[in-house]
Structure formats: structure tokens, C-alpha cells
């Protein structure tokens, strides 16, 4: 398998992706949505490959991915006809934010094909090395309390029935990837131990949930650690000489 990778900082240079490879494959030969025939829950025939890439730096988010070229070793163009279907699907970062995995959807190759000659695409990711603290101005901790920074609001306070932990939902008017973390302090300035308990992001807003073993106090201070000096990087990848499962083709 030959692998070509490069990445360009929008306005500067980058040192490229590493260890790009196919880590999963799903091939649907036939489907008929109108008749309710949906093998592997697919509505139409096609081939989906899941690709893993190591990033040159921890990323905060991945977006704007697109498949640019896909050909079989029989010379067929396997790019989906619709531009919408050429998007990279479900990009997800690893826990350490050092790798990304995403899906690409291809038209099914014909019976003469034994593999892929080339699969290439591009995506944009954001990264930031520095953080700055922002006191959200949330002195009173009750549902509906509003802060003075980042449109902060305590969305809810609840107790989980299954483990009796206490959960605070914090809404911020900022993208999820811009938040490095959130710290909680009681009225005396002592830090409160919390753990992340999920989030929901829509557009430029995010609701972050935090769980504590003890009940949250009625007053305190909440400080958001925000990534500063965010930069966007455009990464491109090219995979060549693969079999139909995305493995290196045997010579």
C-alpha cells in the first residue's frame, strides 16, 4: 500500500497526518428501501469504509470533510453522485484528541474490481495550545441562574436516581470545541471535585453536564477554561492499492 499524507495550516505550514489506514468496511451489494429490504440497515447499495488518522497535534474539533477521489483497480469512478454523499461521515476524535476516525461512502465497485486504486479526501480541524480563564459570573447556583460571561446559564440541577450523584447542567453560548474545561469553587474558594457527565451541542451553543458526589452548594464561582488563539488546519489524505476490505493489496 502506498500512502501519501499532507496537511496545510490555513496561513502556515503543518507536519502532516500519520498512520492513515482503513479500520472497518461495510459492503452492501443489494438494497431496496421501497420494499423494506435494508441489509445492515442500509437504504441503498454501497460501500462504507472507516478511516483512522493520527493528527500532528491534539485537535478540538473536526469539520468540513469531503471525499475528493475514489477509483477501483478496474478504473471505475466510485465517487457518490451527490455532493452531499461525498462528505466525511461522523468524524470523531479519540479520547486523547490525537486521532480522528471518519467514514467515507463509495459507490459499489463492479465484478471486475479486486480493490481500490485510490481513495483521497480532505478535512479541516481546529487546534489551540493556550488557554485562558473566564469567570462566568455565576454567584447563585440554582436552575435558571444567568452569568455575565459567555451567556452562561445553569440549565438544571438534579439528582440521579441510580447512583444518587448530583448533576449540574451548564449552558454556554460558545462552540463545544472552544471549552478546555470548567472548574467549580464553593463560596469559600475551595475547589469542588466534579466529573464530566455528557454534553449536548447545537450550533454555537453547548450544555455541559457535571456530576458531583455531594450536593452542589447554593453559591460559588464557576470558571471556564477557554482555548485561545484557535487555528484551523486543512488535512488531506490519499490511500492507494487496497483490497475491497481496505487492507493493503497483496502483490
Amino acid at each position: 500500500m502506498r500512502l501519501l499524507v499532507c496537511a496545510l495550516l490555513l496561513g502556515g505550514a503543518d507536519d502532516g497526518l500519520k498512520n492513515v489506514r482503513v479500520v472497518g468496511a461495510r459492503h452492501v451489494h443489494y438494497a431496496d428501501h421501497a420494499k423494506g429490504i435494508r441489509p445492515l440497515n442500509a437504504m441503498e447499495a454501497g460501500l462504507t469504509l472507516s478511516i483512522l488518522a493520527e493528527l500532528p497535534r491534539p485537535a478540538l474539533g473536526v469539520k468540513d470533510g469531503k471525499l475528493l477521489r475514489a477509483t477501483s483497480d478496474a478504473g471505475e469512478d466510485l465517487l457518490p453522485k451527490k455532493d452531499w454523499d461525498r462528505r466525511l461521515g461522523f468524524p470523531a476524535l479519540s479520547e486523547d484528541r490525537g486521532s480522528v476516525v471518519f467514514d467515507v461512502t463509495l459507490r459499489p465497485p463492479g465484478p471486475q474490481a479486486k480493490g481500490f486504486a485510490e481513495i483521497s479526501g480532505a478535512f479541516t480541524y481546529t487546534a489551540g495550545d493556550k488557554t485562558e480563564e473566564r469567570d462566568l459570573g455565576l454567584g447563585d447556583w440554582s436552575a435558571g441562574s444567568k452569568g455575565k460571561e459567555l451567556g452562561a446559564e445553569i440549565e438544571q440541577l438534579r439528582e440521579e436516581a441510580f447512583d444518587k450523584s448530583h448533576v449540574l447542567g451548564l449552558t454556554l453560548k460558545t462552540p463545544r470545541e472552544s471549552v478546555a474545561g470548567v472548574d467549580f469553587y464553593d463560596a469559600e474558594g475551595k475547589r469542588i471535585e466534579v466529573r464530566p457527565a455528557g454534553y449536548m451541542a447545537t450550533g454555537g451553543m453547548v450544555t455541559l453536564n457535571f456530576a458531583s458526589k455531594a450536593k452542589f452548594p447554593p453559591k460559588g464561582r464557576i470558571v471556564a477554561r477557554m482555548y485561545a488563539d484557535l487555528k484551523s488546519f486543512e488535512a488531506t489524505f490519499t490511500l492507494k492499492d487496497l483490497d475491497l476490505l481496505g487492507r493493503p493489496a497483496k502483490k
Side-chain angles (χ1 to χ4, degrees), residues 81-102:
K81 294 181 180 180
K82 297 179 181 178
D83 190 66
W84 176 267
D85 294 329
R86 298 180 184 183
R87 299 179 308 151
L88 305 189
F90 309 106
L93 293 170
S94 59
E95 288 293 331
D96 64 2
R97 297 181 178 270
S99 299
V100 61
V101 62
F102 52 85

Side-chain angles (χ1 to χ4, degrees), residues 5-47:
V5 294
C6 66
L8 298 177
L9 169 64
L10 303 185
D14 191 6
D15 49 357
L17 303 176
K18 300 177 182 178
N19 200 18
V20 183
R21 62 195 187 276
V22 175
V23 292
R26 186 188 73 170
H27 195 171
V28 175
H29 303 282
Y30 171 79
D32 192 326
H33 180 59
K35 293 182 179 180
I37 301 173
R38 295 185 296 177
L40 299 175
N41 205 33
M43 293 187 290
E44 58 185 20
L47 179 62

Side-chain angles (χ1 to χ4, degrees), residues 1-6 16-22 51-54 102 117-121 236-242 246 248:
M1 175 181 65
R2 288 176 291 157
L3 170 63
L4 307 175
V5 294
C6 66
L17 303 176
K18 300 177 182 178
N19 200 18
V20 183
R21 62 195 187 276
V22 175
I51 297 175
L52 176 67
E54 294 178 10
F102 52 85
E118 180 179 335
I119 299 172
S120 61
T236 64
F237 63 91
T238 299
L239 291 163
K240 291 191 174 185
D241 302 331
L242 307 174

Side-chain angles (χ1 to χ4, degrees), residues 9 57-60 126-134 150 174-181 224-233:
L9 169 64
R57 58 180 53 75
L60 308 180
T126 56
D129 298 328
K130 299 179 181 179
T131 61
E132 59 183 16
E133 292 188 345
R134 301 277 293 274
L150 300 174
T174 188
R176 168 67 184 93
E177 59 266 24
S178 67
V179 184
R225 286 176 280 113
M226 308 296 295
Y227 285 107
D229 193 25
L230 293 181
K231 296 176 182 177
S232 293
F233 298 82

